Amino acid sequence: NKGIEINTMERESKKITEKLLEGISENNFGIIRINYAPELYNLSDFFNKIQNTDIIDSSIFILDTHDDVNLSLNLQRSLQSCEKTSEDFINRNKYNSIVNNYYDKWNNNLKNISIYQNTFDIILGLNNRECYYFDQNTNADTLVMNTLYCNSPIDFKKNNTCKEIIFIGGGKIFNQQAIKLLTTKILPYLPNNFNISIYGSICNHDELFVNEDRLIRKGFINDLSKVFENALFSIVPIIAGTGSK
């Protein structure tokens, strides 16, 4: 009944262990979901202490690698080395290659995971390559799921008054890349009267919207619920980035 969120990048390993053990003992049961794989090195004290204890049997451990900080940094560095006007900036194959080659046997991140991977009951992987690795190297009891295919069906009720097509994004470089892809590779194939409303701080990047009147900048909005409610549909032309929205 009690949720505890711990940022393992800001705390010492022993303090993290104390907080987790306290939460588990108070509830007699825990669902422990660990996001951001690089932080596993900071949880070594916790994992070492719970081995061969009833905590392993009484709790559910979930590893969620889909928003991996190290991978995200690798992708950002690759993007920052390109001119935003260059074809390389939106080269999908280049970024797919970085993602697909990220997990191999020499990867430090993978070494951190491999020490404790059999502790996890469920592993939510980033891509087919990663899921294949976990399938081959974990116990048969471990459920490995690809986050690309975990979406549940949504009840969709058509609203004939909705007209707006939207893209929502902050100012991060992955969203800048998305706008560049939209203007150079998608809009040229669409009718001249096809407008897309852009929401979020991405609108502050004037250089991305030069000579493109069909992208209507609406700016940052605190409450997006009405925007989604009144939208015909939302587009997400993301190439790089490891987050999942």
Side-chain angles (χ1 to χ4, degrees), residues 158-212:
K158 188 171 181 181
N159 183 342
N160 291 323
T161 63
C162 294
K163 302 293 182 188
E164 192 174 46
I165 299 161
I166 62 173
F167 169 69
I168 298 171
K172 288 189 175 179
I173 198 160
F174 299 130
N175 290 321
Q176 294 177 44
Q177 185 189 39
I179 293 292
K180 186 67 179 174
L181 179 77
L182 191 57
T183 55
T184 58
K185 299 292 185 182
I186 298 173
L187 280 179
Y189 294 94
L190 299 175
N192 289 331
N193 63 349
F194 193 98
N195 296 325
I196 299 171
S197 296
I198 312 294
Y199 289 90
S201 53
I202 187 65
C203 295
N204 298 333
H205 289 268
D206 297 335
E207 73 280 5
L208 298 172
F209 298 92
V210 176
N211 300 326
E212 191 43 80

